[in-house]
């Protein structure tokens, strides 16, 4: 690229960046700085002229020092309508290319973010703010050809091929040239078809790894060259209406994706990391049917107890467990059962994961002040019979939920606690008065999710000595258990789908007395065991004996719960 197109100055920042990332050794830097002092050019010009650093790497360094976005390719980002904002004559004269019109301004590809004349001219002609995006000269010229069509391409010496990337499935040596648009479409489609809940785009020093979370565990899907990272992230940001020029701060966005005639919501989160921005895309498939309580694998005694509490007009019912343990699925199955014309059901969620006809659903938005506490106060003025609060995160929300439960409302919510007995201690720690908690709390359902063994390849297995040790002793009979094998039907994972393990606390008079006396978790747990409560691990062992899951899965999710 021409040296006159490189930004000037800021030697200190550039030297620090080059040294920190090992792009130029100390001896070469010292020599380049000496030539600068001798008036032979600015540091960027000297480094490029001496050939000690490649032009694209130097541009990346300059973009980082000037906090300007760098993209090696505009594939998948160019919007033909942007060409109407800037005449071709001006674009080619100043070596800039209009990429896309954003709410913040016009994205402008250029070689020199310090070219004030080019930026001012483009801003004046386009009639809006210009957001510079650094790129290499080959990419800029080929992008100009694509934006302005065949006539401009011929004047520039013929068309250039569109940018492509070599993509290889994880663990494979085969490769295929595809565009960034095709790559993302393929990733989205595969994730939805395989039931993934999240897509992870994780940049490393040499490669970009793509993983999908299926049945609660991450699986490697694809690996791309490191140079493809910026174009991939930029395309995701464009689709989710995020600022592609901002890479130093986390951002959150939303994509509405259509697949096989159904709409899928995707929540996008970006996070700066050592080798670039990490992107996580949460998949919310609203078309999935809401299940019935009887379809969740819940023991009959627990299902009957929960249904009895749901039939009451008041009370607080909590579902507890870590993130991804199926709490929302259980709560919506509960709502589905009591959703009748005579009841006003209102939910407050973050985000709304399911859509249920006949109820009012509200999404919390802390950024604008609509927190769970503020939203819950507003819901109480909507004459509700049943309230679903997505999560009790703080003492204020807990207090309002408890007050609502004792003033004529049935309140359902979730809490992050280890087990059912620990929920009482957690709420007391949130400074809920014991007499209020004893009056409001109707029941607590703790749950975890374990993977279900693939019925086509599961194989009989005896417990291993290590498994017996982790389970705290011998297993009666030690028979009837199965282990994962792996086959094409389950993509060699050995598991297909998940089922929940449950632990149930119903607030009896004895439990109320313990709450009023502010009893500890262990004392409440002993009382529940004396009444026949089965722990999460015991429910897991029962499901393992029935061949639904493996001992390894039960241990994975419950060995800390004993």
């Amino acid at each position: 690229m021409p040296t006159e197109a490189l930004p000037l100055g800021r030697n200190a920042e550039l030297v620090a960046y080059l040294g920190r990332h090992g792009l130029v050794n100390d001896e070469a830097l010292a020599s380049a700085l000496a030539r600068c002092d001798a008036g032979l050019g600015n540091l960027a010009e000297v480094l490029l002229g001496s050939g000690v650093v490649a032009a694209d790497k130097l541009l990346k360094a300059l973009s980082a020092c000037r906090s300007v976005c760098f993209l090696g390719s505009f594939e998948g980002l160019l919007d033909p309508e942007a060409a109407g904002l800037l005449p071709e004559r001006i674009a080619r004269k100043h070596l800039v290319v209009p990429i896309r019109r954003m709410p913040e301004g016009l994205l402008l590809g250029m070689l020199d973010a310090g070219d004030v004349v080019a930026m001012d001219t483009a801003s004046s002609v386009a009639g809006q703010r210009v957001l510079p995006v650094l790129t290499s000269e080959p990419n800029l010229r080929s992008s100009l050809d694509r934006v302005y069509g065949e006539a401009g391409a011929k004047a520039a010496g013929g068309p250039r091929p569109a940018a492509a990337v070599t993509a290889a499935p994880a663990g494979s040596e085969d490769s295929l040239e595809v565009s960034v648009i095709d790559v993302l479409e393929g990733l989205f489609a595969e994730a939805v078809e395989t039931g993934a809940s999240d897509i992870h785009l994780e940049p490393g020093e040499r490669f970009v790894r793509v993983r999908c979370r299926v049945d609660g565990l991450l699986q490697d899907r694809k690996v791309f060259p490191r140079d493809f990272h910026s174009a991939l992230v930029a395309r995701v940001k464009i689709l989710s209406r995020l600022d592609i020029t901002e890479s130093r701060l986390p951002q959150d966005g939303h994509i509405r994706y259509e697949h096989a005639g159904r709409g899928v919501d995707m929540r996008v989160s970006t996070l700066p990391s050592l080798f670039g921005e990490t992107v996580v895309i949460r998949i919310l498939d609203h078309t999935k049917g809401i299940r019935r309580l009887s379809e969740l694998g819940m023991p009959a005694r627990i299902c009957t107890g929960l249904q009895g509490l749901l039939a009451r007009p008041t009370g607080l019912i909590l579902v507890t467990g870590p993130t991804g343990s199926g709490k929302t699925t259980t709560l919506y199955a509960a709502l589905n059962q009591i959703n009748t014309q005579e009841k006003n059901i209102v939910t407050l969620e973050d985000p709304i994961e399911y859509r249920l006809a006949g109820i009012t659903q509200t999404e919390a938005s802390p950024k604008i002040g609509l927190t769970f506490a503020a939203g819950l106060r507003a819901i109480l003025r909507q004459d509700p019979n049943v309230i679903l609060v997505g999560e009790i995160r703080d003492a204020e929300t807990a207090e309002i939920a408890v007050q609502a439960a004792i003033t004529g409302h049935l309140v359902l919510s979730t809490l992050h606690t280890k087990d059912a007995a620990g929920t009482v201690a957690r709420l007391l720690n949130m400074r809920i008065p014991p007499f209020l908690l004893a009056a409001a709390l109707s029941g607590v359902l703790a749950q975890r999710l374990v993977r279900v063994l693939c019925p086509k390849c599961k194989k009989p297995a005896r417990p291993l000595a290590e498994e017996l040790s982790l389970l705290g002793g011998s297993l009666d009979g030690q028979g009837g258990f199965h282990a994962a094998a792996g086959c094409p039907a389950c993509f060699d994972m050995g598991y297909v789908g998940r089922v929940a393990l449950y632990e149930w606390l119903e607030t009896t008079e004895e439990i109320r007395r313990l709450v009023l006396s502010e009893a500890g978790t262990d004392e409440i747990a002993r009382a529940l065991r004396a009444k026949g409560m089965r722990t999460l691990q015991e429910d897991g062992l029962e499901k393992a004996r029935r061949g639904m899951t493996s001992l390894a899965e039960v241990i994975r999710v419950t060995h800390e719960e004993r």
Side-chain angles (χ1 to χ4, degrees), residues 83-104:
L85 299 173
L86 197 64
E88 179 179 2
R89 175 181 55 81
I90 293 177
R92 291 193 182 277
K93 176 182 177 182
H94 294 281
L95 276 182
V96 296
V97 60
I99 302 172
R100 179 177 289 260
R101 187 175 183 177
M102 303 288 288
E104 301 84 2

Side-chain angles (χ1 to χ4, degrees), residues 163-236:
V165 61
T166 300
S172 171
E173 295 181 358
D174 296 331
S175 64
L176 178 67
E177 286 195 346
V178 291
S179 74
V180 65
I181 298 176
D182 295 331
V183 166
L184 276 180
E185 174 63 29
L187 288 177
F188 290 169
E190 181 181 356
V192 172
E193 289 169 0
T194 58
S197 61
D198 302 86
I199 303 172
H200 290 237
L201 310 179
E202 303 166 342
E205 187 172 5
R206 297 178 55 205
F207 301 102
V208 180
R209 178 172 63 167
V210 178
R211 296 194 289 173
C212 288
R213 189 177 295 278
V214 179
D215 293 336
L217 298 181
L218 284 170
Q219 303 173 3
D220 284 336
R221 287 294 170 88
K222 285 183 172 57
V223 174
F224 298 109
R226 178 68 179 82
D227 290 342
F228 188 48
H229 173 257
S230 59
L232 190 61
V233 172
R235 178 63 182 173
V236 171

